[in-house]
Amino acid sequence: MLRWDDEENDSLGFFKWKPAKHPVYGDIEIGDFDPKFFSQNPPAKHLEPWIRNEAMFNFEMLKYLPELSWENIEVKKIKSYKADSSDYQINVSFRNTGKLPTALKQAHLVKIVTDDRVVLDFDTTGTASGKPGYKIIQEKKLSKGKETGTGSDENERPVQQRTISKNVPYTQGGSLTTAVFNIRLYKISELSGKASVFSTRGGVLKNKEF
C-alpha cells in the first residue's frame, strides 16, 4: 500500500507519524493512512474514473430492468345457457420488455416486493341501481359445468364485484404473462371495464378498456 501510494498517488494517502500534544492523553503521535481518501474512498484524483465506471454500469443496467407493456385483451364467449345467461373468458396479456424478471427470487424471499397483480374494474354506470347481473366464477367450476353439460342455476344470485384482482407469477425478461378471468352474465349482453397491471419492479399499466 505504501509503495502504491508513493508511485501512483504522489504520497498523498499516508501521513508520516509526528509528535503532538493531546489535552487529555498528553504526548501522542499522529499519522497513518488517510481513511477518507485512501481506504474508504479512492484518492481524489482517482475518483473520476471510478465515478464514470459506476455511472456507465447504471446506464447499462437500465437496459436490463423489467418494464411492462400491454399485449392484448381477448374476450370470448365460451358457453350459453337456456336460462338466458352466458359465460365469458377474459384473457389479459402483457409482456416484460426488459431482460430481468419483474422480481428477483431473493427480493421475494426477503419480502421487499409484492406479487404482480392484474385488476379488472367493471363499469356499472347506467345499470339499474348500479348492480349489473354478473358473477365471477372459478375455472374449475366452469370446467365441471362444461363436462356435465349442466346449465347455470336460475336460483344463483349475481354477486356485484365492481373490482376483482388476481396475482400472477413474476414475468421473465422478454416473456408474456396472461391472466384468465371467467365471468357469467345474467340476462345482459354486454359489460365493459378496464384492466390494470401492478408490479413492484416492472411498473404499472393502467386502464386498458375491454
Side-chain angles (χ1 to χ4, degrees):
M1 291 171 66
L2 280 171
R3 180 179 175 182
W4 182 90
D5 186 50
D6 291 338
E7 295 178 358
E8 303 291 340
N9 196 43
D10 302 324
S11 301
L12 297 175
F14 184 85
F15 297 99
K16 292 182 179 179
W17 292 97
K18 62 181 181 180
K21 283 286 186 181
H22 191 277
V24 175
Y25 302 110
D27 292 333
I28 62 168
E29 288 188 344
I30 57 175
D32 208 348
F33 288 102
D34 179 2
K36 286 298 180 186
F37 288 99
F38 194 84
S39 57
Q40 294 177 358
N41 301 285
K45 75 174 188 178
H46 297 281
L47 269 175
E48 186 172 351
W50 286 100
I51 292 172
R52 184 181 186 279
N53 290 342
E54 181 69 18
M56 295 306 295
F57 170 81
N58 288 326
F59 283 133
E60 185 67 19
M61 187 172 65
L62 284 173
K63 303 174 185 178
Y64 288 77
L65 293 178
E67 185 175 0
L68 300 183
S69 65
W70 284 117
E71 197 73 11
N72 69 295
I73 296 183
E74 179 188 27
V75 180
K76 58 182 179 180
K77 182 187 288 187
I78 53 178
K79 192 171 184 64
S80 295
Y81 300 103
K82 294 180 181 180
D84 195 20
S85 60
S86 300
D87 289 342
Y88 289 82
Q89 189 175 84
I90 305 172
N91 297 312
V92 181
S93 299
F94 57 93
R95 186 176 298 276
N96 176 9
T97 59
K99 295 183 180 180
L100 289 173
T102 52
L104 298 175
K105 184 175 181 180
Q106 185 62 31
H108 177 75
L109 290 175
V110 298
K111 296 180 173 59
I112 61 174
V113 294
T114 59
D115 292 330
D116 288 354
R117 185 164 49 97
V118 179
V119 177
L120 300 186
D121 185 16
F122 294 105
D123 183 8
T124 60
T125 305
T127 58
S129 302
K131 296 182 179 180
Y134 68 88
K135 181 180 181 180
I136 309 304
I137 54 178
Q138 301 297 324
E139 287 87 342
K140 60 181 181 180
K141 181 177 180 180
L142 180 69
S143 300
K144 181 180 179 181
K146 291 176 68 176
E147 291 171 1
T148 59
T150 59
S152 65
D153 188 346
E154 292 186 42
N155 296 319
E156 279 187 321
R157 299 185 62 184
V159 178
Q160 183 188 8
Q161 289 179 268
R162 188 177 183 276
T163 300
I164 61 169
S165 64
K166 175 177 288 188
N167 291 342
V168 293
Y170 298 124
T171 307
Q172 297 298 313
S175 297
L176 184 75
T177 290
T178 299
V180 179
F181 297 84
N182 293 306
I183 181 171
R184 180 166 295 158
L185 301 188
Y186 296 86
K187 300 180 181 180
I188 57 174
S189 59
E190 183 176 299
L191 180 65
S192 62
K194 296 178 180 180
S196 299
V197 182
F198 299 88
S199 173
T200 307
R201 294 286 185 261
V204 176
L205 301 175
K206 292 283 287 184
N207 299 334
K208 188 171 181 64
E209 296 182 352
F210 61 87

